[in-house]
Amino acid sequence: QVQLVESGGGLVQAGGSLRLSCAASGGNFRSYAMGGSMGWFRQASGKEREFVAAISRNGGSTYYADSVKGRFTISKDNAKNTLYLQMNSLKPEDTAVYYCAAARLVPAQAMSGRLGAMDYWGKGTLVTVSS
């Protein structure tokens, strides 16, 4: 069974940076179980979970929500089975629990609209941005 574990969240001032990590265990990025797209989602208090960023299987294509484009960067290291989200120029509205997710059959470009089709979810890491 694949497990995803996020880390790297915390409290940061507006304008600061954080780097989130998502470590996969129970499968590697090249196996069937993990051979699809991966992405980050977030959920602010009282709001629905929303798409943040996605990366294709080979890492060659990335996609972002308009709200984070130009500030966040998604990447992955297949050798380490780890997904990353570099977050710069953070704003108070970025405050949320951030989740990583993996989908075997959903292409990265479709992740933003297929939240319910993710095969695996982490338990999340809290990011708090103070003004």
Side-chain angles (χ1 to χ4, degrees), residues 33-106:
M34 294 289 292
S37 306
M38 296 193 73
W40 290 94
F41 295 78
R42 67 186 181 185
Q43 188 166 17
S45 179
K47 295 187 177 181
E48 293 186 349
R49 194 169 299 189
E50 64 178 7
F51 168 78
V52 175
I55 189 166
S56 61
R57 176 178 180 175
N58 63 7
S61 298
T62 57
Y63 304 88
Y64 298 93
D66 288 342
S67 59
V68 306
K69 203 171 291 183
R71 299 187 297 122
F72 291 10
T73 302
I74 187 172
S75 62
K76 65 177 182 175
D77 185 331
N78 286 344
K80 296 182 178 180
N81 284 342
T82 302
L83 179 73
Y84 302 100
L85 184 68
Q86 177 66 43
M87 305 186 296
N88 298 329
S89 302
L90 282 162
K91 304 175 181 180
E93 51 264 44
D94 294 318
T95 295
V97 177
Y98 284 71
Y99 300 89
C100 70
R104 291 172 293 168
L105 301 177
V106 177

Side-chain angles (χ1 to χ4, degrees), residues 10-16 18 90-95 127-131:
L11 175 64
V12 63
Q13 288 188 332
L18 281 176
L90 282 162
K91 304 175 181 180
E93 51 264 44
D94 294 318
T95 295
V127 172
T128 303
V129 184
S130 63
S131 57

